[in-house]
Amino acid sequence: MTRPSGDLFLGGGETGRLMAELDWARTPLGPVSEWPQSLRAAVRMVLSSRYPMLLLWGENYSQLYNDAYSALIGDKHPAALGDDVRVTLAEVWDVLAPLVEEAMATSVASWVPALQLLLKRAGYREEAYFTVSHAPARDDDGRTVGVLTVCSEVTQQVIGERRLRLLRDLSVLGDGRTVDVDATGARLVGVIDDHPLDVPFAAIYLRDGTTLRRIACTGGDRRHAQTLPDAVELTDPGPPAYAWGLADAAEGRATAVTDVADRLPLPAGPWDDPVRTALALPLSSADEGQPRGVLLAGVSPSRGLDEAYRSFHQLLAQQISVALRNAQEYEEERRRIEAMAELDRLKTDFFANVSHEFRTPLTLILGPLTDALTDATAPLAPAQRERVETGWRNATRLLTLVNSLLTFSSLEAGRARSDARVVDLAALTAELAGVFRAAVERAGLTLEVSCPPLPRPVAVDPVNWERIVTNLLSNALKYTFIGRIRVTLDADDEEVRLTVADTGIGIAERDLPKLFERFHRVRGARSRSHEGTGIGLALVHELARLEGGDVRVTSQVGVGSRFTVTLPWSATHRTAVSGPTVGGRGDAARAAVEEAVGWLTEPSDAVTEPDPTTRTTTDELAGARILLADDNADMRAYLTRLLTAQGWRVRAVTDGQQALDEIHRDLPDLVLTDVMMPVMDGFDLVRRLRADPATRALPVLVLSARAGGEASVEGLSLGADDYLVKPFAAAELVARIRASIRRARDRTPAAALGGEPATVAASAPPSHPAPVGPVTADPAVEAVREAAVLPPTSADPDALGDLLDVGWTYPSEPTSAAALRRDVRGVLGELDVDPEVLEDLLLAASEAMNNAVEHAQRPSRPEVRVRVQLGGGLVRISVRDFGTWRDRRPAMDRGRGALLMNAYGDVRLVSTAEGTTVTIERRLA
């Protein structure tokens, strides 16, 4: 019995229902009731499958398919049912026909992966990909009368992998590490140009101030590129910028351009359809409101702009933005490095030029000094000989520094050369080490030298080798306090090795990588002297490399250090030059030893007394006790001679710790200290003296080679009474010492205990720098104090003045700030005001004094009055000038006065026609 025809399509879903309703009698297949059993079986198999399947039957290739296949052909369904496939898929039949005809003719199945097909299933010519299998379909007699097609769409997979390759290629080639920004943009569009199916054209614009500048473009020919704007002024973009979406994208809004074909007739896609749409996308930056630039990218005419396509464009813009950011950062870093290299070159040239200029005056200094010292016909008196020898030693040291700078600048500039000569390297090394023996033994150390003869001749520059050995030995002596220094020279089949080992303080592991960098110094390291340029080890490193070798170091804190210079035998077999050696052989070693002897010269434990014949009975400061702290032996000797000539007793020490110990043992009248010293520097010494109530009022005068406002401000803010920069005039130093001692002695404790305030007229040293050389002391710079009773003051409602009410008058000069600090510290320190509060008030009062001196214009009185009141747990300091107010020029204003005053107290300023008064108040609790 034949089942109803409708039963054939049961279970076939929506497509089965449509097939059941179709009048098959009007198709080439005829009524369903007449279909052969083989066709019926094939239809049941197709409809029951969830996989896309198409059955072509008969000479007309009539189509029968399932729901899964209907989704693949889009709007061609359901008209395709029963129709000729050559009509339904006419646009791709040229691709499919060979496969179908082969299956019909050979009865052999085929399989084609990712077959590209052009489909018109969504209103446009779409790029699609299918994996397809064609198998023969047989009738009841076994003849091939059709084809069974099984297919699956892989469009998203194929296109997704293709887009992923583009993004990967951009990340690899667009890292920006080797080219500038413009070149990076060109490389990026070059990568995009290899993927025209996804990005038909692209243009990259970068923000340059208020302008968008096109740095790269791809797609089409030159005529197409000229259609796009070269630059867009963002303050007035104009119609083209808005038409292409550039203005909106530059503000962070992605924009779709839908009329591209009207302005840029560019064929694209697999079938050269015109591009209709483009996207203008912002290139992200750290500032979300101001993108780095804009990417203008075309959309393929063969793909719909769906969510996946938009996401791809966003990833494309991000990848380009990252590449450009990297390129910009790399370019900025490269420019910074180039600028640093240029600055480094200029600095090196400057050192070279200055060093050359130093040599002429040094020659004219050393020549006459040497003549004076060796002149047997007119020998120098002992005192004069001592002075000339001091000058000769330090001029020789300066020449050594100049030579080191010249050598280093030549090495840095690549102009240095090695005049290799065949030398007995073992004998030369032993000789150079022997020059240091007396200095090493004087330091209480043992010098061990082991330099046996080498098995082969060696060609090196003897002057360079001398500098290498000298710097290593000098460095070892400077940082070794107990034990020994060992110098060895040995060799094997590969290299010659010079080793300088010590039992010194050692070097921390964190400092080893920078040890051979120029100007690097290990902070806080204990040494025999704080003096030095910081280029000694850097010079060793560069000279070793110049000789074809290298230098390395191993060290352990508290155990010692080992420096090893290696010279491969290949580097020592160079062609040797002939003729006399250029440069003074042995000069560097002798100069280094002279300097080292200065480190080892310990001052006498005894106080240096003044010559009785130089004392004057009228000098009230005669016999004053001065404590001198300086690590330079010649400077100690010079200052001791200078100060004892004034009738003062001088005790000299080499560092801040020794000075502190001596102060606690025997309090001097004044401390004269250098800043840069080993163990404890001068600033730390001042800090500790001011923190101790017993030494808070002790006058301290700081000497330093560190010039500049920052160094002096640091010293004065710590509590130093005065700061003098080397070189200084002897007369100026003496005058400042006299003024400091007199101010300290003239401070009257009675005025600090209450009663009527005293008026003090104080004079300070002149603020202008004195000339270097012998200068007659000006008695006008010595401080003079005149006590007078101020007029009675009205009672203070806040009880100010109950404990203290004192005042002073100072000349309107910059140096009066030092006198103010001395006087205010004296009266408040005796009342046990907290040291930190006291230092805060001193800083604020100093700035108020500076303001009074610098701001007062045409003062009616060339003076500044200061009043200090204490009571009710409150301190008030008033500073008054007598001039009209004026603003300081920027060059005069250090930019910290108001900041300091307000930071350390409550400040009020009252300005009138008679003058300006600054009041600083601070609670004590």
Side-chain angles (χ1 to χ4, degrees), residues 50 138 337 519:
R50 291 175 178 261
R138 295 178 174 85
I337 293 174
F519 310 125

Side-chain angles (χ1 to χ4, degrees), residues 11 13 694 842:
L842 288 175

Side-chain angles (χ1 to χ4, degrees), residues 412-427:
E412 289 286 302
R415 296 190 297 266
R417 64 178 185 177
S418 173
D419 293 330
R421 299 169 186 274
V422 177
V423 297
D424 184 345
L425 195 62

